[in-house]
Amino acid sequence: NPWSLRQVHKDYVMWNRTIWQRIEMKEKINRPFFSVNRELSKIIIDAVEANDLFPYWPDQGEYYDSAINIMTPTDFLANLEQESIDEEECEYDDSGCNNSGCPGDVFFEPCAEEEVDYIPDNAFSAFRIRENVYFDRIHSRLYFDIQTITMLLPANSDHNIGFLTKGADKQIATFRFKELY
């Protein structure tokens, strides 16, 4: 497997399986990965912004992470934007007027561009890990080889307010563990 950290000859493998695990960073055992200002999600976001790490589009299938299609950093940042359920502040009525007058009036103020509000780094407290488990018959040892990590916005998060994603985890991006390592 080209994504493996440990390369094992295929003749040594007695059997192998692919498993997926959901990791909650707020659990006591995972707290070192979610310490204040050193959250795993913050480290990943900073690495993507610095172009040191490539994000991949997460597959829509629940149990498969391919990490084939590269996501651009702008698309990655778009996934991190806070969704809003409020209507836009600058709405025009039928006559083309907004709250502060009509386009020809002296007191007309055009709509200012909205500032982008990003979801805080500590809101991404769940990850899905895809790993290959195989038994090396030569060394009589079981190996867990992590392939990909998918960053999730949990369903119970206050920032998960989108119509389509409410009640389900929102997949932000998938990362190859070999690159993340």
PDB file of all heavy atoms in Angstrom, residues 38-62:
ATOM      1  N   ARG A  38      -3.330  23.797  21.492  1.00  0.00           N
ATOM      2  CA  ARG A  38      -2.534  22.773  20.800  1.00  0.00           C
ATOM      3  C   ARG A  38      -3.458  21.636  20.345  1.00  0.00           C
ATOM      4  O   ARG A  38      -3.049  20.479  20.313  1.00  0.00           O
ATOM      5  CB  ARG A  38      -1.439  22.216  21.716  1.00  0.00           C
ATOM      6  CG  ARG A  38      -0.380  23.207  22.107  1.00  0.00           C
ATOM      7  CD  ARG A  38       0.406  23.740  20.940  1.00  0.00           C
ATOM      8  NE  ARG A  38       1.161  22.653  20.307  1.00  0.00           N
ATOM      9  CZ  ARG A  38       1.703  22.737  19.113  1.00  0.00           C
ATOM     10  NH1 ARG A  38       1.586  23.811  18.411  1.00  0.00           N
ATOM     11  NH2 ARG A  38       2.368  21.721  18.614  1.00  0.00           N
ATOM     12  N   GLU A  39      -4.684  21.993  19.980  1.00  0.00           N
ATOM     13  CA  GLU A  39      -5.625  20.989  19.509  1.00  0.00           C
ATOM     14  C   GLU A  39      -5.136  20.395  18.192  1.00  0.00           C
ATOM     15  O   GLU A  39      -4.510  21.084  17.387  1.00  0.00           O
ATOM     16  CB  GLU A  39      -7.011  21.609  19.282  1.00  0.00           C
ATOM     17  CG  GLU A  39      -7.677  22.133  20.534  1.00  0.00           C
ATOM     18  CD  GLU A  39      -7.449  23.612  20.763  1.00  0.00           C
ATOM     19  OE1 GLU A  39      -6.679  24.226  19.996  1.00  0.00           O
ATOM     20  OE2 GLU A  39      -8.009  24.142  21.717  1.00  0.00           O
ATOM     21  N   LEU A  40      -5.413  19.143  17.984  1.00  0.00           N
ATOM     22  CA  LEU A  40      -5.028  18.488  16.742  1.00  0.00           C
ATOM     23  C   LEU A  40      -5.656  19.203  15.549  1.00  0.00           C
ATOM     24  O   LEU A  40      -5.005  19.396  14.522  1.00  0.00           O
ATOM     25  CB  LEU A  40      -5.439  17.010  16.771  1.00  0.00           C
ATOM     26  CG  LEU A  40      -5.092  16.174  15.555  1.00  0.00           C
ATOM     27  CD1 LEU A  40      -3.592  16.158  15.330  1.00  0.00           C
ATOM     28  CD2 LEU A  40      -5.629  14.772  15.710  1.00  0.00           C
ATOM     29  N   SER A  41      -6.880  19.635  15.694  1.00  0.00           N
ATOM     30  CA  SER A  41      -7.551  20.344  14.603  1.00  0.00           C
ATOM     31  C   SER A  41      -6.860  21.671  14.302  1.00  0.00           C
ATOM     32  O   SER A  41      -6.732  22.057  13.134  1.00  0.00           O
ATOM     33  CB  SER A  41      -9.022  20.570  14.936  1.00  0.00           C
ATOM     34  OG  SER A  41      -9.155  21.239  16.167  1.00  0.00           O
ATOM     35  N   LYS A  42      -6.390  22.367  15.307  1.00  0.00           N
ATOM     36  CA  LYS A  42      -5.686  23.644  15.107  1.00  0.00           C
ATOM     37  C   LYS A  42      -4.364  23.407  14.372  1.00  0.00           C
ATOM     38  O   LYS A  42      -4.009  24.166  13.463  1.00  0.00           O
ATOM     39  CB  LYS A  42      -5.424  24.328  16.441  1.00  0.00           C
ATOM     40  CG  LYS A  42      -4.687  25.652  16.339  1.00  0.00           C
ATOM     41  CD  LYS A  42      -4.539  26.286  17.702  1.00  0.00           C
ATOM     42  CE  LYS A  42      -3.759  27.557  17.743  1.00  0.00           C
ATOM     43  NZ  LYS A  42      -3.589  28.316  16.570  1.00  0.00           N
ATOM     44  N   ILE A  43      -3.654  22.361  14.739  1.00  0.00           N
ATOM     45  CA  ILE A  43      -2.389  22.031  14.082  1.00  0.00           C
ATOM     46  C   ILE A  43      -2.630  21.703  12.605  1.00  0.00           C
ATOM     47  O   ILE A  43      -1.893  22.150  11.726  1.00  0.00           O
ATOM     48  CB  ILE A  43      -1.693  20.867  14.815  1.00  0.00           C
ATOM     49  CG1 ILE A  43      -1.269  21.324  16.214  1.00  0.00           C
ATOM     50  CG2 ILE A  43      -0.509  20.352  14.025  1.00  0.00           C
ATOM     51  CD1 ILE A  43      -0.804  20.205  17.101  1.00  0.00           C
ATOM     52  N   ILE A  44      -3.695  20.960  12.332  1.00  0.00           N
ATOM     53  CA  ILE A  44      -4.017  20.596  10.951  1.00  0.00           C
ATOM     54  C   ILE A  44      -4.403  21.832  10.147  1.00  0.00           C
ATOM     55  O   ILE A  44      -3.933  22.033   9.028  1.00  0.00           O
ATOM     56  CB  ILE A  44      -5.134  19.539  10.932  1.00  0.00           C
ATOM     57  CG1 ILE A  44      -4.598  18.188  11.426  1.00  0.00           C
ATOM     58  CG2 ILE A  44      -5.732  19.395   9.534  1.00  0.00           C
ATOM     59  CD1 ILE A  44      -5.644  17.126  11.589  1.00  0.00           C
ATOM     60  N   ILE A  45      -5.244  22.701  10.707  1.00  0.00           N
ATOM     61  CA  ILE A  45      -5.684  23.907   9.998  1.00  0.00           C
ATOM     62  C   ILE A  45      -4.506  24.825   9.717  1.00  0.00           C
ATOM     63  O   ILE A  45      -4.369  25.365   8.616  1.00  0.00           O
ATOM     64  CB  ILE A  45      -6.787  24.621  10.801  1.00  0.00           C
ATOM     65  CG1 ILE A  45      -8.069  23.774  10.802  1.00  0.00           C
ATOM     66  CG2 ILE A  45      -7.071  26.011  10.229  1.00  0.00           C
ATOM     67  CD1 ILE A  45      -9.126  24.247  11.766  1.00  0.00           C
ATOM     68  N   ASP A  46      -3.623  24.992  10.695  1.00  0.00           N
ATOM     69  CA  ASP A  46      -2.437  25.831  10.489  1.00  0.00           C
ATOM     70  C   ASP A  46      -1.518  25.252   9.410  1.00  0.00           C
ATOM     71  O   ASP A  46      -0.929  25.991   8.625  1.00  0.00           O
ATOM     72  CB  ASP A  46      -1.665  26.002  11.798  1.00  0.00           C
ATOM     73  CG  ASP A  46      -2.419  26.849  12.812  1.00  0.00           C
ATOM     74  OD1 ASP A  46      -3.378  27.547  12.404  1.00  0.00           O
ATOM     75  OD2 ASP A  46      -2.055  26.804  14.002  1.00  0.00           O
ATOM     76  N   ALA A  47      -1.393  23.933   9.361  1.00  0.00           N
ATOM     77  CA  ALA A  47      -0.544  23.296   8.349  1.00  0.00           C
ATOM     78  C   ALA A  47      -1.134  23.456   6.948  1.00  0.00           C
ATOM     79  O   ALA A  47      -0.395  23.656   5.986  1.00  0.00           O
ATOM     80  CB  ALA A  47      -0.356  21.819   8.678  1.00  0.00           C
ATOM     81  N   VAL A  48      -2.452  23.395   6.843  1.00  0.00           N
ATOM     82  CA  VAL A  48      -3.082  23.598   5.534  1.00  0.00           C
ATOM     83  C   VAL A  48      -2.925  25.043   5.085  1.00  0.00           C
ATOM     84  O   VAL A  48      -2.633  25.316   3.920  1.00  0.00           O
ATOM     85  CB  VAL A  48      -4.570  23.186   5.578  1.00  0.00           C
ATOM     86  CG1 VAL A  48      -5.289  23.615   4.311  1.00  0.00           C
ATOM     87  CG2 VAL A  48      -4.702  21.688   5.770  1.00  0.00           C
ATOM     88  N   GLU A  49      -3.096  25.990   6.009  1.00  0.00           N
ATOM     89  CA  GLU A  49      -2.942  27.403   5.664  1.00  0.00           C
ATOM     90  C   GLU A  49      -1.506  27.722   5.253  1.00  0.00           C
ATOM     91  O   GLU A  49      -1.281  28.601   4.421  1.00  0.00           O
ATOM     92  CB  GLU A  49      -3.366  28.286   6.833  1.00  0.00           C
ATOM     93  CG  GLU A  49      -4.866  28.304   7.059  1.00  0.00           C
ATOM     94  CD  GLU A  49      -5.272  29.089   8.287  1.00  0.00           C
ATOM     95  OE1 GLU A  49      -4.391  29.474   9.092  1.00  0.00           O
ATOM     96  OE2 GLU A  49      -6.470  29.335   8.432  1.00  0.00           O
ATOM     97  N   ALA A  50      -0.529  27.017   5.809  1.00  0.00           N
ATOM     98  CA  ALA A  50       0.875  27.225   5.459  1.00  0.00           C
ATOM     99  C   ALA A  50       1.298  26.393   4.241  1.00  0.00           C
ATOM    100  O   ALA A  50       2.472  26.386   3.878  1.00  0.00           O
ATOM    101  CB  ALA A  50       1.762  26.880   6.648  1.00  0.00           C
ATOM    102  N   ASN A  51       0.354  25.663   3.628  1.00  0.00           N
ATOM    103  CA  ASN A  51       0.614  24.789   2.477  1.00  0.00           C
ATOM    104  C   ASN A  51       1.618  23.687   2.790  1.00  0.00           C
ATOM    105  O   ASN A  51       2.362  23.243   1.914  1.00  0.00           O
ATOM    106  CB  ASN A  51       1.074  25.594   1.260  1.00  0.00           C
ATOM    107  CG  ASN A  51      -0.040  26.416   0.672  1.00  0.00           C
ATOM    108  OD1 ASN A  51      -1.195  26.009   0.710  1.00  0.00           O
ATOM    109  ND2 ASN A  51       0.307  27.578   0.149  1.00  0.00           N
ATOM    110  N   ASP A  52       1.643  23.226   4.029  1.00  0.00           N
ATOM    111  CA  ASP A  52       2.494  22.107   4.416  1.00  0.00           C
ATOM    112  C   ASP A  52       1.749  20.779   4.375  1.00  0.00           C
ATOM    113  O   ASP A  52       2.362  19.717   4.435  1.00  0.00           O
ATOM    114  CB  ASP A  52       3.048  22.315   5.826  1.00  0.00           C
ATOM    115  CG  ASP A  52       4.024  23.469   5.891  1.00  0.00           C
ATOM    116  OD1 ASP A  52       4.630  23.791   4.855  1.00  0.00           O
ATOM    117  OD2 ASP A  52       4.184  24.051   6.988  1.00  0.00           O
ATOM    118  N   LEU A  53       0.418  20.837   4.298  1.00  0.00           N
ATOM    119  CA  LEU A  53      -0.422  19.648   4.338  1.00  0.00           C
ATOM    120  C   LEU A  53      -1.524  19.805   3.295  1.00  0.00           C
ATOM    121  O   LEU A  53      -2.095  20.889   3.151  1.00  0.00           O
ATOM    122  CB  LEU A  53      -1.032  19.486   5.733  1.00  0.00           C
ATOM    123  CG  LEU A  53      -1.889  18.272   6.006  1.00  0.00           C
ATOM    124  CD1 LEU A  53      -1.061  16.997   5.889  1.00  0.00           C
ATOM    125  CD2 LEU A  53      -2.492  18.356   7.393  1.00  0.00           C
ATOM    126  N   PHE A  54      -1.800  18.738   2.570  1.00  0.00           N
ATOM    127  CA  PHE A  54      -2.829  18.776   1.536  1.00  0.00           C
ATOM    128  C   PHE A  54      -4.114  18.152   2.046  1.00  0.00           C
ATOM    129  O   PHE A  54      -4.117  16.988   2.432  1.00  0.00           O
ATOM    130  CB  PHE A  54      -2.375  18.019   0.282  1.00  0.00           C
ATOM    131  CG  PHE A  54      -1.159  18.610  -0.357  1.00  0.00           C
ATOM    132  CD1 PHE A  54       0.051  17.949  -0.284  1.00  0.00           C
ATOM    133  CD2 PHE A  54      -1.219  19.816  -1.010  1.00  0.00           C
ATOM    134  CE1 PHE A  54       1.179  18.477  -0.871  1.00  0.00           C
ATOM    135  CE2 PHE A  54      -0.094  20.362  -1.603  1.00  0.00           C
ATOM    136  CZ  PHE A  54       1.112  19.695  -1.527  1.00  0.00           C
ATOM    137  N   PRO A  55      -5.225  18.896   1.998  1.00  0.00           N
ATOM    138  CA  PRO A  55      -6.519  18.286   2.340  1.00  0.00           C
ATOM    139  C   PRO A  55      -7.099  17.592   1.114  1.00  0.00           C
ATOM    140  O   PRO A  55      -6.816  17.965  -0.028  1.00  0.00           O
ATOM    141  CB  PRO A  55      -7.369  19.490   2.748  1.00  0.00           C
ATOM    142  CG  PRO A  55      -6.802  20.626   1.982  1.00  0.00           C
ATOM    143  CD  PRO A  55      -5.336  20.342   1.823  1.00  0.00           C
ATOM    144  N   TYR A  56      -7.894  16.577   1.357  1.00  0.00           N
ATOM    145  CA  TYR A  56      -8.568  15.837   0.299  1.00  0.00           C
ATOM    146  C   TYR A  56     -10.062  15.892   0.556  1.00  0.00           C
ATOM    147  O   TYR A  56     -10.505  15.980   1.701  1.00  0.00           O
ATOM    148  CB  TYR A  56      -8.091  14.381   0.254  1.00  0.00           C
ATOM    149  CG  TYR A  56      -6.631  14.259  -0.094  1.00  0.00           C
ATOM    150  CD1 TYR A  56      -5.655  14.294   0.891  1.00  0.00           C
ATOM    151  CD2 TYR A  56      -6.231  14.126  -1.416  1.00  0.00           C
ATOM    152  CE1 TYR A  56      -4.317  14.205   0.561  1.00  0.00           C
ATOM    153  CE2 TYR A  56      -4.881  14.024  -1.744  1.00  0.00           C
ATOM    154  CZ  TYR A  56      -3.944  14.072  -0.750  1.00  0.00           C
ATOM    155  OH  TYR A  56      -2.619  13.979  -1.072  1.00  0.00           O
ATOM    156  N   TRP A  57     -10.843  15.819  -0.537  1.00  0.00           N
ATOM    157  CA  TRP A  57     -12.289  15.824  -0.398  1.00  0.00           C
ATOM    158  C   TRP A  57     -12.720  14.534   0.288  1.00  0.00           C
ATOM    159  O   TRP A  57     -12.325  13.454  -0.132  1.00  0.00           O
ATOM    160  CB  TRP A  57     -12.967  15.917  -1.763  1.00  0.00           C
ATOM    161  CG  TRP A  57     -12.867  17.266  -2.368  1.00  0.00           C
ATOM    162  CD1 TRP A  57     -12.002  17.669  -3.338  1.00  0.00           C
ATOM    163  CD2 TRP A  57     -13.646  18.415  -2.032  1.00  0.00           C
ATOM    164  NE1 TRP A  57     -12.195  18.981  -3.628  1.00  0.00           N
ATOM    165  CE2 TRP A  57     -13.198  19.472  -2.845  1.00  0.00           C
ATOM    166  CE3 TRP A  57     -14.670  18.651  -1.123  1.00  0.00           C
ATOM    167  CZ2 TRP A  57     -13.747  20.739  -2.778  1.00  0.00           C
ATOM    168  CZ3 TRP A  57     -15.210  19.919  -1.053  1.00  0.00           C
ATOM    169  CH2 TRP A  57     -14.764  20.950  -1.874  1.00  0.00           C
ATOM    170  N   PRO A  58     -13.518  14.630   1.330  1.00  0.00           N
ATOM    171  CA  PRO A  58     -14.030  13.402   1.947  1.00  0.00           C
ATOM    172  C   PRO A  58     -15.091  12.781   1.052  1.00  0.00           C
ATOM    173  O   PRO A  58     -15.881  13.485   0.430  1.00  0.00           O
ATOM    174  CB  PRO A  58     -14.638  13.878   3.270  1.00  0.00           C
ATOM    175  CG  PRO A  58     -14.904  15.323   3.085  1.00  0.00           C
ATOM    176  CD  PRO A  58     -13.950  15.822   2.047  1.00  0.00           C
ATOM    177  N   ASP A  59     -15.064  11.473   0.960  1.00  0.00           N
ATOM    178  CA  ASP A  59     -16.061  10.783   0.149  1.00  0.00           C
ATOM    179  C   ASP A  59     -17.402  10.851   0.836  1.00  0.00           C
ATOM    180  O   ASP A  59     -17.489  10.920   2.060  1.00  0.00           O
ATOM    181  CB  ASP A  59     -15.665   9.324  -0.064  1.00  0.00           C
ATOM    182  CG  ASP A  59     -14.541   9.188  -1.061  1.00  0.00           C
ATOM    183  OD1 ASP A  59     -14.341  10.136  -1.841  1.00  0.00           O
ATOM    184  OD2 ASP A  59     -13.871   8.154  -1.047  1.00  0.00           O
ATOM    185  N   GLN A  60     -18.446  10.804   0.049  1.00  0.00           N
ATOM    186  CA  GLN A  60     -19.786  10.877   0.605  1.00  0.00           C
ATOM    187  C   GLN A  60     -20.210   9.557   1.232  1.00  0.00           C
ATOM    188  O   GLN A  60     -21.110   9.528   2.040  1.00  0.00           O
ATOM    189  CB  GLN A  60     -20.780  11.293  -0.477  1.00  0.00           C
ATOM    190  CG  GLN A  60     -20.494  12.676  -1.033  1.00  0.00           C
ATOM    191  CD  GLN A  60     -20.439  13.751   0.036  1.00  0.00           C
ATOM    192  OE1 GLN A  60     -21.256  13.770   0.945  1.00  0.00           O
ATOM    193  NE2 GLN A  60     -19.451  14.617  -0.049  1.00  0.00           N
ATOM    194  N   GLY A  61     -19.554   8.466   0.859  1.00  0.00           N
ATOM    195  CA  GLY A  61     -19.847   7.194   1.485  1.00  0.00           C
ATOM    196  C   GLY A  61     -19.398   7.215   2.927  1.00  0.00           C
ATOM    197  O   GLY A  61     -18.349   7.741   3.264  1.00  0.00           O
ATOM    198  N   GLU A  62     -20.204   6.663   3.803  1.00  0.00           N
ATOM    199  CA  GLU A  62     -19.926   6.764   5.233  1.00  0.00           C
ATOM    200  C   GLU A  62     -18.696   5.961   5.643  1.00  0.00           C
ATOM    201  O   GLU A  62     -17.990   6.334   6.559  1.00  0.00           O
ATOM    202  CB  GLU A  62     -21.146   6.267   6.003  1.00  0.00           C
ATOM    203  CG  GLU A  62     -21.015   6.393   7.484  1.00  0.00           C
ATOM    204  CD  GLU A  62     -22.270   5.960   8.204  1.00  0.00           C
ATOM    205  OE1 GLU A  62     -23.305   5.782   7.568  1.00  0.00           O
ATOM    206  OE2 GLU A  62     -22.183   5.790   9.427  1.00  0.00           O
TER     207      GLU A  62
END
